Amino acid sequence: MAPKARMSVDTYNLEQFLKQVEKRAYRMAHIATSNVDDALDIVQDAMLVLASKYASHSKDEWPPLFHRILQNKIRDHYRRQKVRNIFQNWFGSDEEGLEEDPIQTIADDKVHDPIRKISGEQALDDLELALKTLPVRQQQTFLLRAWEGLDVKQTATAMGITTGSVKTHYSRALQALKKQLGEAENE
């Protein structure tokens, strides 16, 4: 009987953890991909992996594990995009010879992003735009450290890099963001 009670507590705690991290994870994935659907898929995949493979771990281990999974899913997305781009360049247009206008395929995330509609915070928008200009490692290091509150060691574990690399990426991200956001304030 005790193992079943433990399992339901873990399930409850896991659900609570996933609810807490869901919106921030989506924001991180959206910043990394600039695509609502891709970001949702990445977060959903990361949550499924955590729930299916790591639910039995202690709840203290879930944050770095989840963010490691999320980082891997984001990297996988970039790899798939790179391969798709190579094939698209090789084969050019579709079979009918009709190419889609690339400008028409760009999503207007200001209109379709419900989070942005609700919040309406200009500072958050400015920060998000500035984050999108950073290299992915700096971007994700900043998000894990500043938004998720992971320490250096947890961030290193989540990203699969050394603690020294975390410190370097975080420092560079802060410098770049301060410069960009400082310039935005002066305009």
Side-chain angles (χ1 to χ4, degrees):
M1 214 58 166
K4 286 187 179 182
R6 169 123 173 85
M7 189 59 158
S8 66
V9 170
D10 287 342
T11 302
Y12 174 79
N13 286 332
L14 182 61
E15 287 178 19
Q16 292 305 308
F17 169 74
L18 292 175
K19 284 180 185 177
Q20 290 174 345
V21 76
E22 176 182 30
K23 289 180 183 174
R24 294 187 315 268
Y26 165 76
R27 185 72 125 202
M28 292 173 71
H30 186 258
I31 289 170
T33 64
S34 298
N35 183 293
V36 172
D37 294 329
D38 290 342
L40 289 171
D41 288 344
I42 288 169
V43 172
Q44 182 180 19
D45 289 348
M47 288 179 165
L48 286 172
V49 169
L50 183 74
S52 64
K53 294 185 179 181
Y54 301 103
S56 63
H57 285 64
S58 76
K59 65 181 182 179
D60 295 334
E61 294 178 70
W62 290 338
L65 279 171
F66 175 76
H67 289 293
R68 176 68 181 260
I69 295 164
L70 184 66
Q71 294 302 308
N72 287 341
K73 295 294 180 186
I74 290 170
R75 273 194 288 279
D76 289 347
H77 169 79
Y78 277 107
R79 288 182 189 125
R80 281 192 305 274
Q81 285 299 112
K82 186 176 180 180
V83 170
R84 280 187 202 126
N85 290 341
I86 289 170
F87 280 112
Q88 286 177 348
N89 288 337
W90 279 351
F91 297 116
S93 62
D94 59 4
E95 292 175 13
E96 286 84 35
L98 300 173
E99 284 192 41
E100 240 180 29
D101 180 7
I103 299 298
Q104 296 298 322
T105 62
I106 297 174
D108 183 2
D109 64 351
K110 292 259 188 219
V111 174
H112 301 292
D113 187 356
I115 293 171
R116 184 169 275 102
K117 285 181 184 177
I118 292 169
S119 70
E121 298 175 15
Q122 184 62 40
L124 188 57
D125 290 343
D126 292 344
L127 176 59
E128 187 173 327
L129 287 173
L131 281 168
K132 287 181 180 183
T133 66
L134 296 177
V136 175
R137 290 258 178 161
Q138 288 179 22
Q139 176 190 99
Q140 297 302 308
T141 302
F142 176 82
L143 292 171
L144 290 172
R145 295 277 290 125
W147 283 9
E148 291 301 314
L150 299 183
D151 62 27
V152 173
K153 187 176 178 183
Q154 290 173 321
T155 303
T157 301
M159 294 184 68
I161 59 177
T162 66
T163 57
S165 293
V166 168
K167 292 175 185 177
T168 300
H169 291 308
Y170 186 65
S171 174
R172 289 178 181 166
L174 285 176
Q175 289 173 358
L177 291 172
K178 284 179 184 177
K179 182 178 177 184
Q180 288 182 35
L181 295 174
E183 289 173 0
E185 287 178 5
N186 296 333
E187 293 178 358

